[in-house]
Amino acid sequence: AIVHDGKVKLLCRAINMARPRPKGNWSVSSLVWAESDDGFHFKLADSPAFDPDENSPYQGGFEDPRLVEIDGKYILTFTGVKDVGHTPGMMAISDDLEHWDVLGEVLPGRAIAIVNRKIGGKYWAYWGNDPAEHLAWSEDLRTWHVYDQPAFTSRPGCFDGLLCEAAAAPIVTEDGILLFYNGAASHADARAYAERVLPM
C-alpha cells in the first residue's frame, strides 16, 4: 500500500479460479490495484495492472507485490511464477504508478522488500529463499549484490519453522531497521509453538 494523490492505493495479488491454469501451477495470479479514500474501504480495479499473456514465461502469474517510494521514484518488487519451485524476484520502477519500466528478474528468490530509504548511498533489500531471508544491495536498482550468508533463517519449532519471507518495505527507525515478515510452519512446528505461547 502507498498514499498517492490523497488516496491509499493497494496493489493486490488476485486469483481468478475460473481461469485455466497451466500444467505445474495451481493458479494464475495477477496484480490488481485497489483504491481507498479512508484506508479501510477499497474498490478493486476492473482489470489487472500486471497480468501474464499467453507468451509470457510467467504462466503462473505474479505474486508478492511490495511497493516503496524512495526519492520520488516508486519501486515495485514482485515474484514471477514460471513453474513450481521457479519463482524469481522481479522489479519495476515508475514516476506516477501508471507507467512502468519493468526491469525483469533482478534476484533469484521471491518476495523482495526494499528498505524505505538509501543507506550509505545504496538501496538495500531483503528477499526470500526458503528457509532463509537474504540481504542484497544495489546502487542503481538493476545490478544487485547478494551477501553469502543469510540475514536470518527459519527456526524449527516456531511459527517460521519452514519459511521466512519479507512482507513489506522495511522501515528505518531510530532503533534500527524494522522488518515485517511472513512465516510458515509444519503442523508439528505450529503445534509446538502454540503450546509454548498460547494459554491453555
Side-chain angles (χ1 to χ4, degrees):
I2 203 157
V3 177
H4 179 70
D5 289 342
K7 296 182 182 295
V8 180
K9 293 181 70 73
L10 178 67
L11 193 58
C12 311
R13 174 188 178 184
I15 300 172
N16 178 356
M17 296 306 290
R19 182 175 183 172
R21 64 186 187 273
K23 184 178 181 181
N25 291 293
W26 70 272
S27 68
V28 181
S29 298
S30 301
L31 303 184
V32 183
W33 283 111
E35 190 172 272
S36 172
D37 291 323
D38 60 10
F40 292 96
H41 305 90
F42 284 85
K43 180 177 182 353
L44 200 64
D46 293 330
S47 58
F50 293 84
D51 190 49
D53 61 30
E54 59 184 13
N55 298 316
S56 171
Y58 310 102
Q59 286 301 296
F62 305 113
E63 306 176 356
D64 307 319
R66 314 286 188 254
L67 184 62
V68 65
E69 181 185 3
I70 302 176
D71 298 334
K73 295 278 187 188
Y74 296 100
I75 306 166
L76 170 66
T77 56
F78 55 101
T79 300
V81 181
K82 290 184 173 178
D83 50 46
V84 176
H86 193 184
T87 53
M90 304 179 69
M91 186 176 296
I93 302 173
S94 175
D95 293 322
D96 58 9
L97 297 179
E98 292 183 22
H99 306 91
W100 293 92
D101 178 14
V102 179
L103 306 183
E105 297 177 19
V106 293
L107 285 168
R110 60 185 301 132
I112 303 167
I114 297 178
V115 177
N116 72 332
R117 67 181 68 170
K118 289 182 179 179
I119 301 173
K122 300 174 182 176
Y123 299 95
W124 295 84
Y126 292 89
W127 58 280
N129 189 10
D130 308 346
E133 191 68 12
H134 296 267
L135 186 63
W137 63 269
S138 175
E139 293 179 331
D140 61 4
L141 293 173
R142 288 158 175 79
T143 301
W144 287 86
H145 306 274
V146 177
Y147 281 87
D148 292 336
Q149 298 297 317
F152 60 94
T153 61
S154 59
R155 301 171 297 166
C158 294
F159 77 93
D160 53 2
L162 291 179
L163 173 146
C164 37
E165 167 181 288
I171 301 169
V172 177
T173 74
E174 292 180 357
D175 297 317
I177 295 173
L178 175 61
L179 171 67
F180 296 91
Y181 74 98
N182 304 323
S186 67
H187 292 297
D189 281 341
R191 279 196 300 273
Y193 181 72
E195 288 171 359
R196 284 200 313 275
V197 302
L198 299 177
M200 302 304 284

